[in-house]
Structure formats: structure tokens, C-alpha cells
Amino acid sequence: GIAFIQKVAVNMPFIPWRWGRTFFEDGAQLDFYEPRAVKPIFKSLNFKIDDEFYDFNKNVSITVDDKDDSPIWRLRGSTKDGEEIEARIESYGYVCQIFETQRTRFMYNEYPSKAVFLRIKNRNETLYDLDDLGRHATNCEDAYYSKILLNL
């Protein structure tokens, strides 16, 4: 099987984020990252396979459809050279870790997930899809403050 292991250390306060990473058995990797305050600060979406790196930094869309603690992540973007990516990742588990002080409560939600759709294409030619990449392990995160008290 395939496993995903990570260690998280928290030094509060910090900026909320959405993040996800998929590792494929052939070594390919899909990453997305969206730090946000009230709105996203920036969006990062990329794919690496062998010595090729695709930075999908145009028209990037990272959306989450919450569905009974099992979010569906939808990713889209394009590179400066015209390659396009579309992906859908579905969560099948859920762990919420709460980091709390007297003034803040930070919700760190982890979602073991599975990529159910992935297509990278250049114009009408498919470069990579899930059938090409094989088995994989995916983890997604949605981390945010549920309480912030300010002294004004």
C-alpha cells in the first residue's frame, strides 16, 4: 500500500490555509496551496513528474464543496505555455485538531482523500490522467480561525 505521513508543529498566530498533496506511485506529485486572510492571498497549483514541472499559475481556481465533513476539492489552472489542469479530489476521512489559547481557536482539519479525476492537457491532447499515473495517496487540509479576540 501507499501511506502519507507528516508532522505538524504550530507556532500561533499564523495565516489560515487550504493545502493538498497527491503522491503517485511513479513519483509524480500534485500540489495546491492557498493561504488566505479573508480572501485568498495567492493560489499555487503545480504538478511534477520526472524532470518536468508544470506551474499552473494562470486562472487558478481552488474550490471546496463541503459535504457532510467530506469535502470535494476542485482544481483548475493553466500554465503560461497553455497546458491546462483539471482535478477533483474527494475526501473519505476527517480529523480536526484544535489549537486554542485564551484569545484564539484555530481549527486544523485534515482530510485523507483520493483523486477521482485528473487531466493535464495541452490544447486538445491529454498529457497525463489518472490512468497514466497509477495508485496514489492524497492528503488535504483546511485550516482557519474559529475565534479571534482583539484588544482595540
Side-chain angles (χ1 to χ4, degrees):
I2 297 174
F4 184 95
I5 299 170
Q6 73 177 19
K7 178 180 179 180
V8 176
V10 176
N11 187 3
M12 290 176 55
F14 44 83
I15 296 173
W17 68 85
R18 287 183 173 154
W19 171 88
R21 179 168 287 157
T22 299
F23 292 101
F24 294 91
E25 66 183 341
D26 69 353
Q29 183 175 314
L30 171 68
D31 291 295
F32 69 89
Y33 178 57
E34 181 188 80
R36 53 198 164 104
V38 174
K39 294 183 177 182
I41 297 168
F42 68 88
K43 297 178 182 190
S44 173
L45 175 58
N46 58 66
F47 178 76
K48 182 178 187 275
I49 185 167
D50 299 324
D51 292 332
E52 296 180 67
F53 181 81
Y54 297 90
D55 186 6
F56 299 96
N57 59 7
K58 295 186 173 287
N59 305 313
V60 178
S61 173
I62 300 170
T63 60
V64 180
D65 299 328
D66 288 323
K67 185 179 177 182
D68 302 325
D69 292 330
S70 298
I72 298 171
W73 308 78
R74 299 178 193 278
L75 314 172
R76 290 179 183 259
S78 58
T79 68
K80 65 180 172 77
D81 296 325
E83 292 94 359
E84 297 177 351
I85 188 170
E86 183 178 357
R88 189 174 74 242
I89 298 170
E90 295 181 1
S91 303
Y92 58 83
Y94 169 71
V95 175
C96 179
Q97 300 172 52
I98 300 171
F99 301 95
E100 194 163 12
T101 68
Q102 288 180 341
R103 307 182 59 74
T104 62
R105 179 181 305 123
F106 192 79
M107 311 295 283
Y108 173 71
N109 300 296
E110 261 189 306
Y111 299 95
S113 304
K114 181 172 179 68
V116 296
F117 180 82
L118 172 66
R119 181 177 55 220
I120 298 172
K121 64 181 186 174
N122 191 351
R123 293 170 184 74
N124 292 327
E125 178 188 356
T126 297
L127 302 174
Y128 302 101
D129 63 20
L130 284 178
D131 291 336
D132 299 325
L133 299 168
R135 296 182 329 149
H136 62 277
T138 302
N139 191 51
C140 297
E141 299 175 357
D142 189 12
Y144 56 89
Y145 287 96
S146 64
K147 173 178 86 172
I148 298 177
L149 301 176
L150 302 173
N151 278 341
L152 301 176

mmCIF file of all heavy atoms in Angstrom, residues 18 32 34 36 61-76 86-94 111 113 116 140-142:
data_model
loop_
_atom_site.group_PDB
_atom_site.id
_atom_site.type_symbol
_atom_site.label_atom_id
_atom_site.label_comp_id
_atom_site.label_asym_id
_atom_site.label_seq_id
_atom_site.Cartn_x
_atom_site.Cartn_y
_atom_site.Cartn_z
ATOM 1 N N ARG A 18 -5.542 26.547 2.782
ATOM 2 C CA ARG A 18 -6.028 25.301 2.171
ATOM 3 C C ARG A 18 -4.838 24.720 1.439
ATOM 4 O O ARG A 18 -4.098 25.437 0.769
ATOM 5 C CB ARG A 18 -7.168 25.573 1.193
ATOM 6 C CG ARG A 18 -8.444 25.928 1.895
ATOM 7 C CD ARG A 18 -9.579 26.118 0.927
ATOM 8 N NE ARG A 18 -10.813 26.305 1.678
ATOM 9 C CZ ARG A 18 -11.847 26.951 1.209
ATOM 10 N NH1 ARG A 18 -11.825 27.459 0.001
ATOM 11 N NH2 ARG A 18 -12.924 27.077 1.952
ATOM 12 N N PHE A 32 -1.368 21.717 -4.270
ATOM 13 C CA PHE A 32 -2.057 23.009 -4.301
ATOM 14 C C PHE A 32 -1.945 23.652 -2.931
ATOM 15 O O PHE A 32 -1.812 22.988 -1.909
ATOM 16 C CB PHE A 32 -3.519 22.877 -4.754
ATOM 17 C CG PHE A 32 -4.430 22.174 -3.787
ATOM 18 C CD1 PHE A 32 -5.099 22.872 -2.794
ATOM 19 C CD2 PHE A 32 -4.641 20.809 -3.893
ATOM 20 C CE1 PHE A 32 -5.954 22.229 -1.919
ATOM 21 C CE2 PHE A 32 -5.505 20.154 -3.027
ATOM 22 C CZ PHE A 32 -6.159 20.868 -2.031
ATOM 23 N N GLU A 34 -3.245 27.471 -0.824
ATOM 24 C CA GLU A 34 -3.970 28.732 -0.852
ATOM 25 C C GLU A 34 -3.977 29.346 0.549
ATOM 26 O O GLU A 34 -4.878 29.085 1.347
ATOM 27 C CB GLU A 34 -5.408 28.486 -1.331
ATOM 28 C CG GLU A 34 -6.248 29.733 -1.409
ATOM 29 C CD GLU A 34 -7.694 29.406 -1.708
ATOM 30 O OE1 GLU A 34 -8.428 29.014 -0.774
ATOM 31 O OE2 GLU A 34 -8.074 29.531 -2.876
ATOM 32 N N ARG A 36 -4.789 32.261 3.107
ATOM 33 C CA ARG A 36 -5.850 33.251 2.980
ATOM 34 C C ARG A 36 -6.069 33.988 4.288
ATOM 35 O O ARG A 36 -5.882 33.441 5.365
ATOM 36 C CB ARG A 36 -7.135 32.587 2.508
ATOM 37 C CG ARG A 36 -7.563 31.417 3.344
ATOM 38 C CD ARG A 36 -8.568 30.551 2.593
ATOM 39 N NE ARG A 36 -8.659 29.275 3.249
ATOM 40 C CZ ARG A 36 -9.670 28.912 4.017
ATOM 41 N NH1 ARG A 36 -10.679 29.693 4.206
ATOM 42 N NH2 ARG A 36 -9.661 27.740 4.599
ATOM 43 N N SER A 61 -8.088 28.122 -9.955
ATOM 44 C CA SER A 61 -9.301 28.004 -9.161
ATOM 45 C C SER A 61 -9.135 26.824 -8.207
ATOM 46 O O SER A 61 -8.849 25.703 -8.636
ATOM 47 C CB SER A 61 -10.511 27.778 -10.087
ATOM 48 O OG SER A 61 -11.661 27.502 -9.320
ATOM 49 N N ILE A 62 -9.279 27.096 -6.917
ATOM 50 C CA ILE A 62 -9.252 26.072 -5.877
ATOM 51 C C ILE A 62 -10.544 26.244 -5.092
ATOM 52 O O ILE A 62 -10.706 27.219 -4.368
ATOM 53 C CB ILE A 62 -8.025 26.226 -4.953
ATOM 54 C CG1 ILE A 62 -6.727 26.101 -5.748
ATOM 55 C CG2 ILE A 62 -8.083 25.213 -3.810
ATOM 56 C CD1 ILE A 62 -5.480 26.473 -4.971
ATOM 57 N N THR A 63 -11.479 25.334 -5.282
ATOM 58 C CA THR A 63 -12.756 25.450 -4.575
ATOM 59 C C THR A 63 -12.997 24.189 -3.756
ATOM 60 O O THR A 63 -12.487 23.116 -4.077
ATOM 61 C CB THR A 63 -13.932 25.668 -5.542
ATOM 62 O OG1 THR A 63 -14.022 24.565 -6.436
ATOM 63 C CG2 THR A 63 -13.765 26.953 -6.333
ATOM 64 N N VAL A 64 -13.769 24.354 -2.704
ATOM 65 C CA VAL A 64 -14.107 23.245 -1.824
ATOM 66 C C VAL A 64 -15.617 23.213 -1.661
ATOM 67 O O VAL A 64 -16.227 24.206 -1.280
ATOM 68 C CB VAL A 64 -13.440 23.394 -0.439
ATOM 69 C CG1 VAL A 64 -13.818 22.230 0.455
ATOM 70 C CG2 VAL A 64 -11.944 23.526 -0.558
ATOM 71 N N ASP A 65 -16.206 22.075 -1.987
ATOM 72 C CA ASP A 65 -17.626 21.851 -1.743
ATOM 73 C C ASP A 65 -17.727 21.010 -0.484
ATOM 74 O O ASP A 65 -17.346 19.841 -0.486
ATOM 75 C CB ASP A 65 -18.275 21.101 -2.907
ATOM 76 C CG ASP A 65 -18.184 21.865 -4.224
ATOM 77 O OD1 ASP A 65 -18.204 23.103 -4.178
ATOM 78 O OD2 ASP A 65 -18.082 21.216 -5.266
ATOM 79 N N ASP A 66 -18.202 21.633 0.612
ATOM 80 C CA ASP A 66 -18.351 20.884 1.863
ATOM 81 C C ASP A 66 -19.566 19.988 1.764
ATOM 82 O O ASP A 66 -20.650 20.416 1.386
ATOM 83 C CB ASP A 66 -18.510 21.839 3.046
ATOM 84 C CG ASP A 66 -17.206 22.534 3.372
ATOM 85 O OD1 ASP A 66 -16.158 21.886 3.253
ATOM 86 O OD2 ASP A 66 -17.243 23.723 3.725
ATOM 87 N N LYS A 67 -19.357 18.740 2.131
ATOM 88 C CA LYS A 67 -20.449 17.759 2.053
ATOM 89 C C LYS A 67 -20.303 16.792 3.219
ATOM 90 O O LYS A 67 -19.522 15.861 3.154
ATOM 91 C CB LYS A 67 -20.387 17.020 0.714
ATOM 92 C CG LYS A 67 -21.523 16.078 0.477
ATOM 93 C CD LYS A 67 -21.396 15.420 -0.879
ATOM 94 C CE LYS A 67 -22.510 14.429 -1.056
ATOM 95 N NZ LYS A 67 -22.420 13.728 -2.316
ATOM 96 N N ASP A 68 -21.008 17.050 4.318
ATOM 97 C CA ASP A 68 -21.023 16.139 5.467
ATOM 98 C C ASP A 68 -19.614 15.777 5.946
ATOM 99 O O ASP A 68 -19.278 14.608 6.085
ATOM 100 C CB ASP A 68 -21.789 14.852 5.125
ATOM 101 C CG ASP A 68 -23.220 15.121 4.689
ATOM 102 O OD1 ASP A 68 -23.823 16.057 5.234
ATOM 103 O OD2 ASP A 68 -23.717 14.394 3.812
ATOM 104 N N ASP A 69 -18.774 16.764 6.189
ATOM 105 C CA ASP A 69 -17.396 16.552 6.651
ATOM 106 C C ASP A 69 -16.561 15.751 5.662
ATOM 107 O O ASP A 69 -15.535 15.185 6.030
ATOM 108 C CB ASP A 69 -17.358 15.873 8.027
ATOM 109 C CG ASP A 69 -17.892 16.789 9.119
ATOM 110 O OD1 ASP A 69 -17.757 18.017 8.979
ATOM 111 O OD2 ASP A 69 -18.437 16.272 10.100
ATOM 112 N N SER A 70 -16.979 15.675 4.413
ATOM 113 C CA SER A 70 -16.214 15.005 3.360
ATOM 114 C C SER A 70 -16.128 15.929 2.154
ATOM 115 O O SER A 70 -16.838 15.758 1.165
ATOM 116 C CB SER A 70 -16.882 13.686 2.953
ATOM 117 O OG SER A 70 -16.913 12.807 4.042
ATOM 118 N N PRO A 71 -15.269 16.942 2.225
ATOM 119 C CA PRO A 71 -15.210 17.928 1.151
ATOM 120 C C PRO A 71 -14.761 17.338 -0.186
ATOM 121 O O PRO A 71 -14.070 16.322 -0.238
ATOM 122 C CB PRO A 71 -14.163 18.932 1.630
ATOM 123 C CG PRO A 71 -13.958 18.661 3.065
ATOM 124 C CD PRO A 71 -14.363 17.255 3.309
ATOM 125 N N ILE A 72 -15.191 18.019 -1.234
ATOM 126 C CA ILE A 72 -14.733 17.731 -2.587
ATOM 127 C C ILE A 72 -13.937 18.943 -3.047
ATOM 128 O O ILE A 72 -14.443 20.066 -3.056
ATOM 129 C CB ILE A 72 -15.919 17.468 -3.535
ATOM 130 C CG1 ILE A 72 -16.700 16.241 -3.052
ATOM 131 C CG2 ILE A 72 -15.431 17.304 -4.967
ATOM 132 C CD1 ILE A 72 -17.998 16.021 -3.793
ATOM 133 N N TRP A 73 -12.681 18.724 -3.383
ATOM 134 C CA TRP A 73 -11.778 19.781 -3.828
ATOM 135 C C TRP A 73 -11.763 19.788 -5.356
ATOM 136 O O TRP A 73 -11.572 18.750 -5.984
ATOM 137 C CB TRP A 73 -10.368 19.521 -3.302
ATOM 138 C CG TRP A 73 -10.331 19.286 -1.824
ATOM 139 C CD1 TRP A 73 -10.663 18.133 -1.161
ATOM 140 C CD2 TRP A 73 -9.967 20.210 -0.815
ATOM 141 N NE1 TRP A 73 -10.511 18.307 0.184
ATOM 142 C CE2 TRP A 73 -10.084 19.567 0.425
ATOM 143 C CE3 TRP A 73 -9.533 21.530 -0.846
ATOM 144 C CZ2 TRP A 73 -9.796 20.185 1.621
ATOM 145 C CZ3 TRP A 73 -9.239 22.155 0.348
ATOM 146 C CH2 TRP A 73 -9.371 21.493 1.568
ATOM 147 N N ARG A 74 -11.971 20.960 -5.938
ATOM 148 C CA ARG A 74 -11.952 21.108 -7.399
ATOM 149 C C ARG A 74 -10.837 22.080 -7.762
ATOM 150 O O ARG A 74 -10.797 23.202 -7.244
ATOM 151 C CB ARG A 74 -13.296 21.610 -7.906
ATOM 152 C CG ARG A 74 -14.426 20.646 -7.585
ATOM 153 C CD ARG A 74 -15.778 21.180 -8.041
ATOM 154 N NE ARG A 74 -16.868 20.409 -7.471
ATOM 155 C CZ ARG A 74 -17.306 19.261 -7.941
ATOM 156 N NH1 ARG A 74 -16.747 18.731 -9.000
ATOM 157 N NH2 ARG A 74 -18.312 18.629 -7.356
ATOM 158 N N LEU A 75 -9.943 21.623 -8.631
ATOM 159 C CA LEU A 75 -8.765 22.395 -9.003
ATOM 160 C C LEU A 75 -8.754 22.629 -10.511
ATOM 161 O O LEU A 75 -9.035 21.712 -11.287
ATOM 162 C CB LEU A 75 -7.492 21.645 -8.611
ATOM 163 C CG LEU A 75 -7.444 21.039 -7.209
ATOM 164 C CD1 LEU A 75 -6.208 20.175 -7.046
ATOM 165 C CD2 LEU A 75 -7.481 22.138 -6.160
ATOM 166 N N ARG A 76 -8.394 23.856 -10.905
ATOM 167 C CA ARG A 76 -8.241 24.196 -12.316
ATOM 168 C C ARG A 76 -7.147 25.254 -12.443
ATOM 169 O O ARG A 76 -6.961 26.064 -11.540
ATOM 170 C CB ARG A 76 -9.512 24.803 -12.913
ATOM 171 C CG ARG A 76 -10.651 23.852 -13.079
ATOM 172 C CD ARG A 76 -11.855 24.605 -13.655
ATOM 173 N NE ARG A 76 -12.986 23.735 -13.750
ATOM 174 C CZ ARG A 76 -13.389 23.154 -14.870
ATOM 175 N NH1 ARG A 76 -12.745 23.368 -15.987
ATOM 176 N NH2 ARG A 76 -14.429 22.366 -14.870
ATOM 177 N N GLU A 86 -7.174 20.024 -14.734
ATOM 178 C CA GLU A 86 -8.456 19.936 -14.058
ATOM 179 C C GLU A 86 -8.389 18.713 -13.153
ATOM 180 O O GLU A 86 -7.957 17.638 -13.588
ATOM 181 C CB GLU A 86 -9.599 19.792 -15.057
ATOM 182 C CG GLU A 86 -10.956 19.760 -14.409
ATOM 183 C CD GLU A 86 -12.084 19.658 -15.427
ATOM 184 O OE1 GLU A 86 -11.821 19.676 -16.639
ATOM 185 O OE2 GLU A 86 -13.232 19.526 -14.968
ATOM 186 N N ALA A 87 -8.764 18.879 -11.890
ATOM 187 C CA ALA A 87 -8.708 17.758 -10.942
ATOM 188 C C ALA A 87 -9.879 17.844 -9.968
ATOM 189 O O ALA A 87 -10.364 18.933 -9.661
ATOM 190 C CB ALA A 87 -7.391 17.773 -10.180
ATOM 191 N N ARG A 88 -10.299 16.678 -9.501
ATOM 192 C CA ARG A 88 -11.302 16.586 -8.438
ATOM 193 C C ARG A 88 -10.790 15.589 -7.417
ATOM 194 O O ARG A 88 -10.422 14.465 -7.750
ATOM 195 C CB ARG A 88 -12.661 16.164 -8.982
ATOM 196 C CG ARG A 88 -13.753 16.294 -7.919
ATOM 197 C CD ARG A 88 -15.144 16.019 -8.458
ATOM 198 N NE ARG A 88 -15.328 14.593 -8.675
ATOM 199 C CZ ARG A 88 -15.565 14.023 -9.842
ATOM 200 N NH1 ARG A 88 -15.616 14.748 -10.938
ATOM 201 N NH2 ARG A 88 -15.735 12.726 -9.938
ATOM 202 N N ILE A 89 -10.760 16.018 -6.175
ATOM 203 C CA ILE A 89 -10.272 15.201 -5.070
ATOM 204 C C ILE A 89 -11.398 15.067 -4.059
ATOM 205 O O ILE A 89 -11.976 16.063 -3.626
ATOM 206 C CB ILE A 89 -9.030 15.845 -4.420
ATOM 207 C CG1 ILE A 89 -7.892 15.944 -5.442
ATOM 208 C CG2 ILE A 89 -8.603 15.075 -3.186
ATOM 209 C CD1 ILE A 89 -6.711 16.774 -4.982
ATOM 210 N N GLU A 90 -11.717 13.831 -3.692
ATOM 211 C CA GLU A 90 -12.791 13.580 -2.732
ATOM 212 C C GLU A 90 -12.215 13.033 -1.434
ATOM 213 O O GLU A 90 -11.415 12.098 -1.450
ATOM 214 C CB GLU A 90 -13.805 12.601 -3.327
ATOM 215 C CG GLU A 90 -14.515 13.170 -4.533
ATOM 216 C CD GLU A 90 -15.549 12.237 -5.122
ATOM 217 O OE1 GLU A 90 -15.752 11.120 -4.581
ATOM 218 O OE2 GLU A 90 -16.162 12.628 -6.135
ATOM 219 N N SER A 91 -12.647 13.620 -0.337
ATOM 220 C CA SER A 91 -12.191 13.190 0.985
ATOM 221 C C SER A 91 -13.024 12.012 1.462
ATOM 222 O O SER A 91 -14.220 11.944 1.227
ATOM 223 C CB SER A 91 -12.316 14.342 1.973
ATOM 224 O OG SER A 91 -11.579 15.449 1.514
ATOM 225 N N TYR A 92 -12.366 11.091 2.161
ATOM 226 C CA TYR A 92 -13.089 9.941 2.703
ATOM 227 C C TYR A 92 -12.896 9.805 4.210
ATOM 228 O O TYR A 92 -13.409 8.881 4.829
ATOM 229 C CB TYR A 92 -12.680 8.642 2.007
ATOM 230 C CG TYR A 92 -11.205 8.327 2.088
ATOM 231 C CD1 TYR A 92 -10.660 7.710 3.206
ATOM 232 C CD2 TYR A 92 -10.359 8.655 1.036
ATOM 233 C CE1 TYR A 92 -9.307 7.423 3.279
ATOM 234 C CE2 TYR A 92 -9.009 8.366 1.104
ATOM 235 C CZ TYR A 92 -8.489 7.750 2.215
ATOM 236 O OH TYR A 92 -7.150 7.482 2.289
ATOM 237 N N GLY A 93 -12.194 10.731 4.808
ATOM 238 C CA GLY A 93 -11.976 10.719 6.253
ATOM 239 C C GLY A 93 -11.827 12.145 6.750
ATOM 240 O O GLY A 93 -11.775 13.102 5.968
ATOM 241 N N TYR A 94 -11.718 12.275 8.071
ATOM 242 C CA TYR A 94 -11.714 13.619 8.646
ATOM 243 C C TYR A 94 -11.097 13.579 10.036
ATOM 244 O O TYR A 94 -11.458 12.721 10.849
ATOM 245 C CB TYR A 94 -13.160 14.108 8.716
ATOM 246 C CG TYR A 94 -13.401 15.350 9.510
ATOM 247 C CD1 TYR A 94 -12.980 16.591 9.057
ATOM 248 C CD2 TYR A 94 -14.076 15.298 10.721
ATOM 249 C CE1 TYR A 94 -13.228 17.744 9.772
ATOM 250 C CE2 TYR A 94 -14.343 16.436 11.450
ATOM 251 C CZ TYR A 94 -13.913 17.669 10.966
ATOM 252 O OH TYR A 94 -14.166 18.806 11.678
ATOM 253 N N TYR A 111 -7.848 15.887 5.856
ATOM 254 C CA TYR A 111 -8.760 15.014 5.127
ATOM 255 C C TYR A 111 -7.979 14.003 4.288
ATOM 256 O O TYR A 111 -7.450 14.358 3.227
ATOM 257 C CB TYR A 111 -9.643 15.842 4.184
ATOM 258 C CG TYR A 111 -10.493 16.853 4.896
ATOM 259 C CD1 TYR A 111 -10.076 18.169 5.034
ATOM 260 C CD2 TYR A 111 -11.719 16.489 5.436
ATOM 261 C CE1 TYR A 111 -10.858 19.103 5.687
ATOM 262 C CE2 TYR A 111 -12.512 17.420 6.088
ATOM 263 C CZ TYR A 111 -12.074 18.729 6.209
ATOM 264 O OH TYR A 111 -12.852 19.642 6.856
ATOM 265 N N SER A 113 -7.727 11.673 1.417
ATOM 266 C CA SER A 113 -8.534 11.876 0.218
ATOM 267 C C SER A 113 -8.064 10.989 -0.921
ATOM 268 O O SER A 113 -7.036 10.320 -0.830
ATOM 269 C CB SER A 113 -8.440 13.350 -0.217
ATOM 270 O OG SER A 113 -8.819 14.213 0.831
ATOM 271 N N VAL A 116 -10.094 11.582 -7.795
ATOM 272 C CA VAL A 116 -11.028 10.780 -8.587
ATOM 273 C C VAL A 116 -11.035 11.224 -10.050
ATOM 274 O O VAL A 116 -11.554 10.508 -10.913
ATOM 275 C CB VAL A 116 -12.457 10.807 -8.003
ATOM 276 C CG1 VAL A 116 -12.471 10.159 -6.626
ATOM 277 C CG2 VAL A 116 -13.001 12.220 -7.945
ATOM 278 N N CYS A 140 -5.427 16.400 2.212
ATOM 279 C CA CYS A 140 -5.834 17.797 2.048
ATOM 280 C C CYS A 140 -6.045 18.417 3.420
ATOM 281 O O CYS A 140 -6.335 17.710 4.384
ATOM 282 C CB CYS A 140 -7.127 17.891 1.242
ATOM 283 S SG CYS A 140 -6.990 17.279 -0.442
ATOM 284 N N GLU A 141 -5.906 19.734 3.489
ATOM 285 C CA GLU A 141 -6.083 20.458 4.743
ATOM 286 C C GLU A 141 -6.911 21.708 4.515
ATOM 287 O O GLU A 141 -6.802 22.348 3.471
ATOM 288 C CB GLU A 141 -4.733 20.883 5.327
ATOM 289 C CG GLU A 141 -3.823 19.734 5.651
ATOM 290 C CD GLU A 141 -2.442 20.180 6.116
ATOM 291 O OE1 GLU A 141 -2.175 21.401 6.140
ATOM 292 O OE2 GLU A 141 -1.641 19.306 6.443
ATOM 293 N N ASP A 142 -7.709 22.038 5.505
ATOM 294 C CA ASP A 142 -8.445 23.297 5.547
ATOM 295 C C ASP A 142 -8.285 23.810 6.969
ATOM 296 O O ASP A 142 -8.836 23.232 7.903
ATOM 297 C CB ASP A 142 -9.918 23.078 5.191
ATOM 298 C CG ASP A 142 -10.679 24.378 5.004
ATOM 299 O OD1 ASP A 142 -10.038 25.447 4.917
ATOM 300 O OD2 ASP A 142 -11.917 24.319 4.941
#
